Amino acid sequence: MAAIWVYLETSPKGLTKASLEALGEARRLAGEGRVTAVLIGSGVGALAETAGYHGADAVLTADDAACADFNLDVHVHLMRRALDGTGADLLLMPVSIHTRELSARLAAALDAGLAPDCVGSEAVEGTVRWKRPIYAGKAFETVVPAGNPGIVTLRPNNFEAMAADAGRRAEVQPLDTAIDADRLRLEVREAVAAAADKVPLTEAAIIVSGGRGMKDPANFALIEKLAGTLSAAVGASRAVVDAGWRPHAEQVGQTGKTVSPVLYIACGISGAIQHLAGMSSSRTIVAVNKDPEAPIFKVADYGIVGDTLEVLPLLDEEFKKLLA
Ligand SMILES: Cc1cc2nc3c(=O)[nH]c(=O)nc-3n(C[C@H](O)[C@H](O)[C@H](O)COP(=O)(O)OP(=O)(O)OC[C@H]3O[C@@H](n4cnc5c(N)ncnc54)[C@H](O)[C@@H]3O)c2cc1C
């Protein structure tokens, strides 16, 4: 494939893991073709080099204090400017709360096809076919987004990042960040940073999630303990979020976050379709539920029928031994 573009996201620690995975996938699909990355933010210029190590041939940087906080309008304008007249074949973006909106706005603006939430790809005779879950993960469809570029968002933990090669150099070019104020309809008044010590839910390789079967908010200490042992993030069902046991930021599902970790451990979660919508593309699912008929067991790779309050400490003990 001749020209693949990648929209990169950053965190205070650098390029996000999901961005590196998108770059890796772009590099793999491009073969001898060109991978161009776009970096928008404040103080992000230095990360262009890292993008080169991980597969970019060229990096356009919009590095401006005005881009410090994510403003959807700004990113739409800058991405359109970056892509204008390039005839790019594909634009890859890591799935995130921001790219959900950005990919849709760009697809509409560029009259391009959008394949969201992809978990796999296959190159067939010069065309890339993308695999994505549908019907809340009950089935998969294969799609080819039309347009120049066709736009694809990639779920974290499903694609391989390229190992850093410090010998790779990307050509770095600045992207003009000036936008007429009257073209911006959105203004960011305040951005509240998430606690920096926590593993972000959407990027976590392992998630330990709890539902109403945890019985009491205090029992989530057992989930947090296991999550700590596994360096995992904590997730929750909507039932416990609505009950005020856990913050909304931890909610997994249709009206919460979509996650696809390598390992998802669901404790005392029934497996309602709205919960499955957010986690069924996890690579390995372990369910702990005292009801052997609970729907979560239909999507689980491993099931433990038992009281989660008894099983969680045993799991923690066994994982501690394994990891010692
Ligand atoms: C429009 C809409 C959007 C929604 N969005 C979401 C969403 O984003 N995310 C989401 O999660 N839900 C969502 N829901 C709610 C969803 O339908 C379910 O109500 C919710 O997921 C149930 O949460 P739960 O599994 O924790 O609770 P329950 O359904 O009450 O299940 C509790 C489970 O725990 C088991 N259990 C009980 N005690 C124990 C024990 N001691 N040990 C082991 N197991 C035990 C029970 O057998 C049961 O299976 C949405 C609903 C609607 C209508």
Side-chain angles (χ1 to χ4, degrees), residues 210-215 236-240 242 251-257 267-276 288-291 294-296 306-309:
R212 198 146 37 195
M214 291 302 295
K215 302 289 184 206
S237 72
R238 176 162 163 179
V240 299
D242 283 353
Q251 186 179 315
V252 172
Q254 187 183 314
T255 43
K257 299 213 165 98
C267 306
I269 293 179
S270 58
I273 187 141
Q274 296 89 353
H275 188 81
L276 301 186
V288 186
N289 198 301
K290 66 176 190 186
D291 174 8
I296 190 80
D307 184 342
T308 188
L309 304 182

Side-chain angles (χ1 to χ4, degrees), residues 95 100 117 155-156 201-202 251-254 256-260 277-279 281:
V95 167
R100 260 191 214 297
D117 284 296
R155 278 197 184 174
L201 196 58
T202 47
Q251 186 179 315
V252 172
Q254 187 183 314
K257 299 213 165 98
T258 303
V259 298
S260 52
M279 47 63 75
S281 65

Side-chain angles (χ1 to χ4, degrees), residues 136-139 266 269-273 276 279-280 282 285-289 291-305:
K138 282 200 182 318
I269 293 179
S270 58
I273 187 141
L276 301 186
M279 47 63 75
S280 60
S282 305
I285 298 172
V286 175
V288 186
N289 198 301
D291 174 8
E293 301 298 325
I296 190 80
F297 287 129
K298 292 209 173 87
V299 296
D301 299 284
Y302 299 94
I304 302 173
V305 178

